[in-house]
Amino acid sequence: MNTQLRRTFYLFSFGFVLLVGVMAYWQVYAREDLTNHPSNGLQSRRSQETPRGLIFAGDGETVLARSERAGGNEYERIYPEGEVFANIVGYWSNRFGASGIEIGQNNNLSGTGEPETLDELLNQFSGGPETGNNVTLTLDPELQRAAYEQLAQSNTGRGAVAAFDPETGETLALATYPSYDPNVIVEEGFEEISNEPDNPLLDRATQGLYPPGSTFKVVTAAAALQAGVLPTDRFTDDGTYETPGYSFGNYRGKKYGEVTFAEALVFSINTVFAQIAVDRVGPERLATMAREFGFGEDYEDYPLYVAPSDLGLPPEEWAQGNTAPISFGQDRVVSNVFEMGLVASAIANDGDMMQPRLVREVRSSDGIILDRPTPRTLNEVLPTETARTLNDMMQGVVEDGELLAAQIEGVEVAGKTGTAENPQGQPHSWFISFAPAEDPEIAIAVMVENGGIINENGEAETPALTIAGNLMRTYLDRPAPAPPSQQPANPPGIPGGGVGGGQPDQLSQPATPPQPAAPTPVDPFAPFRNAAPQQQQPVQPAQPPASQQQPFQPVPRRSGAGRMRAKLQL
């Protein structure tokens, strides 16, 4: 009898401990996830009966979301800026759940977190309304609007922009197009929007994964510099790079002859980068450098979901036929605009990648500051000297490559273009950049989906380049340089073609015997002539009025050893 009582006691004791453990898990460890789950009907109902906090842009004045009384004791969510900020702010719907900052900062916005002021504590005990806290984001509203407008006016009308402050990690803009109106979703329009063919619910800035093309060459260049390759090291390009079973070529079969490593970046020479990646860097170093820059990182502390960039295969499984195309951002490599913007930011910030931030501060409804995150380093990607060397090489891409669309009067700009080959259609147009290069204030990545359209002459369009230049000038409040009235022919001995990265980054092809040259000579510069930007008109959104514009002046060219003096006829 005593044995049976003991067993019963042990059984009940075990059940009691298990019950306490389960309750502790749901009440402590999983409380926040349960509270913020989009399908939590109790929270959705509560949000209708109490006003959620305001969401502001970085100026502290532009309201991105507010609650208004809809009748009786219920409130509904209003989004004054509509589509422009929809991918960031998201939506809060009783029927369709929530997304964006609305769910990422739900504890603050709904007031369901622990009470942090006396009023909140009293309201909690008295059962009174617990008005949510106000959240101010880091976004520059003018830059965000300009990015949205520029994407809407691009040649395909699909793409994304990510802009950061390299020193603090603050997100300055995060635009995607096409977008959606969150006010329509709140009014039961989710199903119609979700069925639209251009998928406006997809945040192309953080969730869309695309081959990065030649923008990935800055990662390869960083690995090469760390492996001991110098910008002045010379390489010979005969138009192809052979690996067992595969042959890699330059766009339209161009041959560059003897070039330096720095020139290979300026002219975006695929074969030289393939040679460096296979012979001087190797799979392990290249993969390690990509991971240092954030490939594979999901940025879990960022309040929006970020799809991790991917190299496809672990480096121990790479053959030379993988390493070569990976070096110029093809093969199975995929990334997003958010990640490539952080790559540019890390180089701009002397090799330190800052923790990307979207929330500047949280205040209670009566104005008390509850949280103000401070900048912190996420990863020390590169030594300072290596980052500065790469910075200078990227300045050469813009200056020596004569990328007028990216230049800013009186400001040095660093950048790298990419026209990424896409098996499903036209190439994607990329550009990553930062300025001023010597003391960067903005780092930006732009991708126009299928925007690198190849015309009948074999020329690739470069809309991402123009968009990035316009946005950096908007943020820095500087004009573009005027196009030079005359440009001399290329002096003898200067390699031709490939400037601006307007070349599709060719995927590997099976090795074949050499083919006879085409009878008609190819102009090596033709695909890379970037037209100078037009003077901004006052009628355009997010542009300064004519009274604030200054006459365009040419950007002064820097002096220094090793700088190429070739000019392209743009």
Side-chain angles (χ1 to χ4, degrees), residues 66 103 145 165 226 293 303 325 364 382 394 548:
R66 67 175 186 267
I103 192 65
R145 295 187 191 104
D165 181 331
Q226 287 292 86
F293 272 111
S364 65
L382 293 171
M394 292 174 67
Q548 297 180 12

Side-chain angles (χ1 to χ4, degrees), residues 5-37:
L5 287 175
R6 281 197 301 271
R7 290 176 178 174
T8 302
F9 173 77
Y10 292 147
L11 180 63
F12 275 96
S13 297
F14 174 76
F16 179 76
V17 171
L18 181 63
L19 179 62
V20 170
V22 170
M23 292 181 64
Y25 172 78
W26 288 110
Q27 291 292 326
V28 179
Y29 296 103
R31 178 177 180 270
E32 184 173 347
D33 289 340
L34 183 63
T35 299
N36 292 332
H37 197 284

Side-chain angles (χ1 to χ4, degrees), residues 231-247:
T232 53
D233 286 354
R234 307 195 74 82
F235 299 87
T236 300
D237 168 56
D238 61 3
T240 60
Y241 180 75
E242 303 287 343
T243 64
Y246 288 90
S247 176

Side-chain angles (χ1 to χ4, degrees), residues 145-342:
R145 295 187 191 104
Y148 184 83
E149 295 287 345
Q150 291 281 315
L151 291 170
Q153 296 168 15
S154 67
N155 56 355
T156 64
R158 299 187 308 277
V161 170
F164 301 93
D165 181 331
E167 188 176 356
T168 66
E170 289 191 346
T171 306
L172 302 176
L174 198 64
T176 182
Y177 195 92
S179 185
Y180 64 94
D181 186 351
N183 296 293
V184 175
I185 286 186
V186 172
E187 296 174 359
E188 312 299 314
F190 180 85
E191 293 178 0
E192 180 180 351
I193 292 175
S194 63
N195 290 326
E196 292 184 12
D198 281 339
N199 197 6
L201 291 174
L202 173 68
D203 186 347
R204 285 168 165 83
T206 59
Q207 299 171 15
L209 293 173
Y210 307 86
S214 283
T215 58
F216 189 82
K217 285 175 182 170
V218 301
V219 177
T220 305
L225 291 171
Q226 287 292 86
V229 180
L230 301 176
T232 53
D233 286 354
R234 307 195 74 82
F235 299 87
T236 300
D237 168 56
D238 61 3
T240 60
Y241 180 75
E242 303 287 343
T243 64
Y246 288 90
S247 176
F248 300 90
N250 296 319
Y251 177 56
R252 303 181 79 184
K254 290 191 293 294
K255 301 177 182 180
Y256 296 86
E258 189 175 88
V259 294
T260 66
F261 180 35
E263 290 172 340
L265 186 67
V266 172
F267 290 96
S268 203
I269 305 174
N270 294 338
T271 56
V272 172
F273 270 83
Q275 176 185 346
I276 291 172
V278 173
D279 299 341
R280 301 286 294 274
V281 177
E284 288 292 343
R285 282 177 173 170
L286 184 54
T288 298
M289 182 58 66
R291 287 192 290 265
E292 290 293 314
F293 272 111
F295 273 67
E297 175 68 51
D298 61 4
Y299 300 101
E300 61 180 2
D301 290 337
Y302 200 72
L304 304 180
Y305 170 71
V306 178
S309 299
D310 190 19
L311 296 174
L313 295 171
E316 58 268 20
E317 297 181 19
W318 293 5
Q320 291 183 11
N322 298 118
T323 305
I326 286 174
S327 71
F328 50 88
Q330 296 285 179
D331 196 70
R332 304 184 187 186
V333 183
V334 289
S335 188
N336 53 53
V337 179
F338 182 91
E339 168 62 33
M340 296 311 295
L342 290 179

